[in-house]
Structures are given as C-alpha cells and as structure tokens.
C-alpha cells in the first residue's frame, strides 16, 4: 500500500503541517494548476474530519494528483496514508470551491477512517491486487459520501443549501434498483 508518482520537471510538491501531521501534495500536470485554492479547501476538510475523529492515524499523508487531458476515464483511490487522483486539470480557480475536486478530496480523505480503521471483516487483509466484492460496500461508500458532503458544509467550503439540494436530488432519483439488489449484484 505505497503508491507513488514519478515524473520529470512537471512534478511539483507542496507541503504543509496541520494538527501535528505532515501533508504532501505531489502534482503531475500538463498545465498550471491553482494549488493554492486546492490547498485551502483541503486544509478545511482535514481540520473538520480530524476534529470529528479526534486525531489522525498517521504522521504523514500524501495527496498524489495526476492531472491529464489525454484520457477519458478518471478516478481516485484511497490508500492507508495517501490518496491517488487521476483527474482532468482544473481550468478556472474561481469555480474550484463548488466542483467535484472538493468532493473527491473530502471523500477520499474520509476513507482514512472508513474503511481503513472502521471496516468489515472482509477488508481486514486488504489486497489491492484483487477486486473487492463485499455486500457492505454500498454502506462504506454511502457513509463516506454522506460525510464528505457534510464535511464540505461544516468546514465552510460550501453553503448548507448545496448539500440540501444534493440530498433532494438523491431522494428524487430513480430508485428502481434498490440498495440491497445493487449490493448483492456488486458482491457477485
């Protein structure tokens, strides 16, 4: 569980300390990225989530960002003391606060605790080489997504109305495939 980001002159490193832990953001990007804004809202998320849980289970944490326009598939993955992001580069600083960047950072950082410290038995000996098929994955991801949204509101990154609107949209969405069916299908 030790991801890394390798590259040449495009790699930039940003470091900061918060709540007795060291944080490093490693960025590989084809273009300039407004990291000052990303660092500000990431610090707000860290502050809220570590306050919520009381402390961090690490001394160092790494955010590994690979920003690229050459691919059509993007995503992020949590690790024990880091999170890796493969995303398109943000184009405008003004729209970063209310973007999927804030949501995915809050989501992946919450995974430090759920399911890394609070986990079902099936995840005890986690192996990144094998795909995971467990019935409780919907719960892990659902709780993480809810608290990521709550983090953004309670940390002051987004106004409460933003979360209310997102929750309303979820409640009004098509529910033909209920969670039990989806969870069982994902576990097959």
């Amino acid at each position: 569980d030790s991801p890394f980001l390798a590259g040449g002159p495009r790699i930039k490193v940003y470091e900061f300390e918060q709540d007795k832990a060291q944080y490093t953001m490693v960025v590989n990007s084809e273009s300039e990225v407004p990291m000052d804004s990303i660092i500000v809202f990431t610090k707000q998320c860290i502050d809220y989530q570590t306050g919520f849980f009381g402390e961090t289970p690490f001394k160092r944490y790494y955010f590994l960002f690979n920003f690229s326009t050459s691919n059509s598939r993007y995503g992020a993955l949590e690790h024990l003391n880091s999170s890796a992001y493969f995303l398109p580069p943000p184009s405008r600083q003004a729209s970063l606060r209310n973007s999927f960047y804030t949501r995915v950072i809050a989501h992946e950082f919450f995974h430090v605790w759920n399911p890394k410290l609070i986990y079902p038995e099936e995840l005890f000996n986690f192996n990144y080489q094998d795909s995971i098929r467990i019935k409780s994955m919907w719960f892990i991801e659902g709780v993480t997504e809810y608290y990521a949204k709550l983090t953004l509101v309670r940390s002051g990154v987004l106004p409460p109305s933003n979360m209310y609107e997102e929750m309303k949209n979820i409640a009004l969405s098509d529910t033909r495939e209920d969670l039990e069916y989806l969870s069982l299908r994902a576990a097959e």
Side-chain angles (χ1 to χ4, degrees), residues 49 52-53 57 78-80 106-120 123 134 136-148:
Q49 290 183 7
F52 183 79
F53 285 100
E78 74 277 2
H79 294 274
L80 189 59
H107 179 101
E108 297 307 325
F109 192 70
F110 195 83
H111 278 309
V112 165
W113 296 277
N114 179 42
K116 296 299 178 185
L117 290 181
I118 306 164
Y119 52 83
L123 294 180
I134 61 172
S136 61
M137 189 60 76
W138 68 270
F139 182 78
I140 293 167
E141 289 300 323
V143 166
T144 299
E145 187 59 21
Y146 173 77
Y147 277 100

Side-chain angles (χ1 to χ4, degrees), residues 21-59:
Q22 281 294 126
Y23 295 89
T24 303
M25 292 185 159
V26 182
V27 179
N28 178 30
S29 181
E30 302 166 344
S31 58
E32 283 298 312
V33 176
M35 289 306 295
D36 52 339
S37 290
I38 291 174
I39 290 169
V40 166
F41 64 67
T42 300
K43 284 181 172 182
Q44 289 175 266
C45 291
I46 289 169
D47 187 53
Y48 174 74
Q49 290 183 7
T50 56
F52 183 79
F53 285 100
E55 63 183 357
T56 60
F58 52 79
K59 293 190 184 325

Side-chain angles (χ1 to χ4, degrees), residues 50-103:
T50 56
F52 183 79
F53 285 100
E55 63 183 357
T56 60
F58 52 79
K59 293 190 184 325
R60 291 194 64 83
Y61 189 87
Y62 296 87
F63 295 90
L64 307 174
F65 293 103
N66 191 11
F67 293 110
S68 174
T69 58
S70 60
N71 293 300
S72 60
R73 298 188 66 150
Y74 299 102
L77 184 62
E78 74 277 2
H79 294 274
L80 189 59
N81 296 321
S82 65
S83 46
Y85 305 83
F86 191 74
L87 304 168
S91 57
R92 295 179 305 141
Q93 185 152 334
S95 61
L96 275 177
R97 189 165 283 276
N98 189 16
S99 70
F100 73 91
Y101 297 98
T102 56
R103 289 168 181 80

Side-chain angles (χ1 to χ4, degrees), residues 131-135 180-188:
S131 62
I132 302 166
R133 301 283 188 193
I134 61 172
K135 293 179 181 180
E180 183 177 351
Y181 174 75
L182 287 173
S183 187
L184 290 173
R185 192 174 74 203
E188 292 174 348

